[in-house]
């Protein structure tokens, strides 16, 4: 069935061809280990077997530098890499940093390990990862079934860039897998889900939709930025590809921007690696180095953020100035059964939203620190956003209202501050409405 999917999406290249060897930074086969670059982080060292995610997110194959013993992967700020001879071209695994860079490759391998994928590409932003996915598997005349509630940038690039290029998109409700299947057409090449969705926090049944994708020979990609691998790993639920905006929980510190596209198989990886090389959107080595460090605390942060989000959501549900609260951990969430089944370890993430009865702009302008009025999410700082005029202002108003993003819709990203302090800040601002 995978070969049927790939035949509909692209013509596979030989893994031993010079081009694929160049893309992988390899002088050999991709079987088992995709490249010499892959072995950069996989040199044998004594490890206990079957380490848990918290261990992998810290170490993830990183070994001390051979020459110095440095515990951190070095920052390889080099455009090009010297070759010993023409015959030994790429024997060391690297030629030019638009294609492969040792620091970036380490991050790509680590992200793939945490997401339970074969390999990944690390690019400049989350939107670069989204664009790379569509560029890799769709062309003029192809069709994509996509969630009708996604990150605003995803909606915009589909409408403003890809549809004018002759691609077709059906924006449908992904809460019912039957609706997704009904939207599939003979020219459908991609199913694009997002779970939980930004910002409405609706969930997609990834197992059911993946079964539909396999049935119809279509690739299934899921943007799992809101979830993080600690809450949900789409590849564990049958998806072929996962998108992560590394800017959010992987970075977690409001330091850098980045994105990743994780592939389940070598064939899918070869395709997205080719797209990364042609588009030239590889992440910078310095950003990759920083994210290799910040992602080490992701598990600690996500657990704290999830616990605080639940406490804040419970408070908001009882507040007289709040008309609605949505958080996957609440019993009132319409997909609570799916959330409990699909989310890992009872975690539901640090994102929630609520609708106010008064003026949302007044709330935003009057709220005090530690709340921060800005865009972004998933960071250590708690962030509050009026989606209608900020993150989703580029959506057509009718489309925005149809998916539940009202004018009073307030999205909050819970940080790692004391939950009671955050509640006091919200209570004070709500009291002024």
């Amino acid at each position: 069935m995978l070969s049927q999917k790939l035949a509909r999406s692209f013509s596979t290249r030989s893994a031993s061809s010079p081009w694929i060897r160049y893309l992988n930074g390899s002088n050999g086969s991709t079987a088992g280990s995709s490249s010499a670059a892959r072995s950069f982080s996989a040199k044998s060292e004594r490890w206990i077997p079957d380490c848990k995610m918290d261990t992998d997110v810290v170490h993830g194959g990183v070994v001390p530098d051979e020459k110095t013993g440095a515990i951190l992967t070095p920052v390889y700020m080099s455009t090009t890499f010297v070759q010993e001879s023409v015959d030994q071209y790429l024997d060391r695994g690297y030629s030019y940093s638009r294609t492969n860079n040792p620091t970036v490759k380490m991050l790509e391998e680590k992200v793939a390990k945490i997401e339970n994928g074969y390999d990944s590409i690390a690019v400049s932003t989350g939107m670069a990862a989204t664009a790379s996915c569509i560029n890799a598997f769709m062309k003029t005349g192809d069709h994509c079934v996509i969630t009708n509630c996604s990150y605003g940038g995803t909606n915009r690039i589909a409408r403003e860039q890809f549809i004018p290029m002759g691609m077709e998109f059906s924006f449908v409700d992904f809460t019912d897998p039957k609706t997704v299947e009904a939207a599939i057409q003979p020219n459908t090449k991609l199913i694009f889900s997002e779970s939980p969705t930004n910002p409405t926090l609706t969930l997609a049944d990834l197992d059911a939709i993946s079964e539909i994708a396999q049935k119809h020979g279509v690739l299934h990609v899921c943007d799992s930025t809101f979830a993080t691998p600690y809450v949900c790993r789409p590849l564990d639920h049958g998806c072929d590809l996962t998108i992560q905006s590394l800017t959010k929980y992987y970075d977690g510190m409001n330091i850098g921007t980045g994105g990743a596209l994780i592939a389940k198989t070598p064939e899918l990886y070869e395709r997205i690696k080719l797209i990364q090389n042609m588009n030239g959107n590889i992440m910078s080595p310095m950003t990759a180095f920083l994210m290799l460090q910040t992602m080490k605390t992701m598990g600690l942060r996500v657990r704290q953020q999830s616990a605080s989000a639940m406490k804040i959501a419970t408070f908001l549900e009882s507040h007289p100035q709040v008309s609605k609260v949505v958080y996957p951990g609440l019993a009132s969430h319409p997909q609570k059964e799916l959330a409990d089944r699909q989310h890992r370890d009872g975690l539901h993430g640090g994102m929630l939203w609520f609708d106010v009865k008064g003026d949302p702009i007044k709330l935003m302008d009057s709220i005090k620190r530690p709340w921060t009025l800005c865009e972004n999410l998933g960071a250590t700082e708690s962030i509050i956003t009026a989606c209608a005029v900020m993150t989703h202002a580029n959506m057509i108003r009718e489309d925005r209202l149809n998916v539940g993003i009202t004018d009073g819709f307030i999205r909050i990203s819970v940080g790692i501050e004391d939950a009671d302090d955050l509640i006091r800040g919200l209570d004070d601002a709500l009291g002024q409405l």
Side-chain angles (χ1 to χ4, degrees):
M1 185 59 72
L2 176 61
S3 61
Q4 179 185 358
K5 293 182 183 182
L6 297 177
R8 298 186 67 186
S9 301
F10 60 91
S11 298
T12 57
R13 296 172 180 263
S14 169
S16 61
S17 71
W19 176 243
I20 291 301
R21 284 164 48 199
Y22 174 65
L23 287 178
N24 288 332
S26 170
N27 62 350
S29 169
T30 60
S33 178
S34 71
S35 61
R38 181 178 288 274
S39 66
F40 169 81
S41 65
K43 294 177 181 177
S44 62
E45 192 174 35
R46 299 188 63 142
W47 279 93
I48 60 171
D50 303 320
C51 291
K52 298 291 196 274
M53 187 183 293
D54 280 340
T55 302
D56 284 339
V57 81
V58 174
H59 298 281
V62 178
V63 296
D65 181 68
E66 286 185 348
K67 291 184 178 180
T68 67
I71 195 169
L72 302 182
T73 301
V75 186
Y76 287 91
M77 297 293 286
S78 183
T79 303
T80 190
F81 301 86
V82 176
Q83 309 297 309
E84 290 295 320
S85 68
V86 173
D87 287 341
Q88 293 174 291
Y89 178 59
L90 282 178
D91 275 6
R92 294 177 178 175
Y94 299 92
S95 173
Y96 190 63
S97 276
R98 175 169 56 84
T99 300
N100 264 326
N101 176 279
T103 312
V104 178
K105 190 63 212 168
M106 183 67 258
L107 176 65
E108 291 173 334
E109 292 182 16
K110 199 174 201 181
V111 169
K113 184 175 184 64
I114 299 304
E115 297 282 352
N116 199 27
Y118 173 77
D119 210 334
S120 74
I121 59 171
V123 290
S124 54
T125 66
M127 277 307 304
T130 295
S132 295
C133 181
I134 297 174
N135 284 330
F137 302 109
M138 290 185 66
K139 62 182 184 303
T140 299
D142 288 344
H143 173 256
C144 172
V145 183
I146 188 169
T147 174
N148 63 352
C149 184
S150 64
Y151 168 58
T154 302
N155 182 287
R156 176 169 54 184
I157 200 171
R159 295 183 185 276
E160 298 295 330
Q161 178 173 322
F162 291 119
I163 289 177
M165 292 171 62
M167 301 180 194
E168 301 171 10
F169 291 81
S170 294
F171 299 87
V172 303
D173 181 0
F174 268 55
T175 60
D176 185 355
K178 293 180 181 178
T179 304
V180 176
E181 185 167 25
I184 294 175
Q185 302 174 12
N187 60 335
T188 301
K189 298 298 190 296
L190 189 66
I191 294 175
F192 194 120
S193 62
E194 186 175 306
S195 187
T197 56
N198 181 359
T200 58
L201 293 170
T202 57
L203 309 179
D205 188 332
L206 299 180
D207 290 296
I209 294 173
S210 293
E211 287 183 13
I212 291 168
Q214 292 166 13
K215 173 182 173 183
H216 292 273
V218 176
L219 292 171
H220 181 198
V221 60
C222 178
D223 185 333
S224 189
T225 298
F226 265 34
T228 82
Y230 277 90
V231 175
C232 180
R233 297 194 300 191
L235 299 185
D236 291 349
H237 297 275
C239 294
D240 300 291
L241 301 134
T242 297
I243 290 171
Q244 283 286 352
S245 175
L246 301 179
T247 309
K248 311 306 190 291
Y249 287 95
Y250 273 83
D251 176 284
M253 306 286 179
N254 282 316
I255 295 174
T257 62
L261 180 59
I262 304 100
K264 192 172 190 175
T265 68
E267 295 86 358
L268 292 172
Y269 168 68
E270 287 174 5
R271 178 60 179 171
I272 64 175
K273 184 63 183 175
L274 173 64
I275 294 299
Q276 180 197 42
N277 185 65
M278 292 191 298
N279 289 349
N281 56 13
I282 191 170
M283 180 183 286
S284 76
M286 191 68 229
T287 301
F289 173 80
L290 292 171
M291 289 198 178
L292 280 167
Q293 314 322 316
T294 59
M295 69 182 289
K296 294 175 182 178
T297 61
M298 180 165 53
L300 299 173
R301 289 184 275 108
V302 169
R303 292 187 185 94
Q304 172 70 20
Q305 289 162 317
S306 295
S308 294
M310 184 65 185
K311 190 171 185 178
I312 292 167
T314 302
F315 158 75
L316 289 171
E317 269 199 319
S318 64
H319 200 286
Q321 289 299 118
V322 175
S323 59
K324 185 175 184 178
V325 183
V326 174
Y327 178 67
L330 290 174
S332 59
H333 192 282
Q335 296 174 288
K336 184 62 165 61
E337 184 276 330
L338 176 60
D340 290 342
R341 172 162 46 91
Q342 190 162 273
H343 290 173
R344 298 160 54 92
D345 301 326
L347 297 174
H348 298 291
M351 301 301 301
L352 63 100
W353 69 268
F354 62 99
D355 214 333
V356 296
K357 295 179 181 178
D359 181 3
I361 305 302
K362 184 177 180 181
L363 172 72
M364 307 299 286
D365 289 342
S366 63
I367 197 160
K368 297 176 181 177
R369 306 299 298 271
W371 288 101
T372 303
L373 174 61
C374 62
E375 297 192 28
N376 200 24
L377 59 93
T380 51
E381 296 84 5
S382 291
I383 294 170
I384 188 163
T385 306
C387 292
V389 295
M390 295 176 72
T391 56
H392 289 68
N394 56 60
M395 284 186 72
I396 299 170
R397 187 172 188 271
E398 181 181 357
D399 290 347
R400 176 169 60 77
L401 293 175
N402 284 340
V403 297
I405 306 174
T406 63
D407 293 337
F409 189 110
I410 304 297
R411 186 189 77 183
I412 61 176
S413 170
V414 179
I416 62 170
E417 305 96 337
D418 184 88
D420 290 333
D421 287 341
L422 295 170
I423 288 172
R424 285 196 297 121
L426 285 169
D427 192 32
D428 177 74
L430 287 166
Q432 297 181 44
L433 296 180

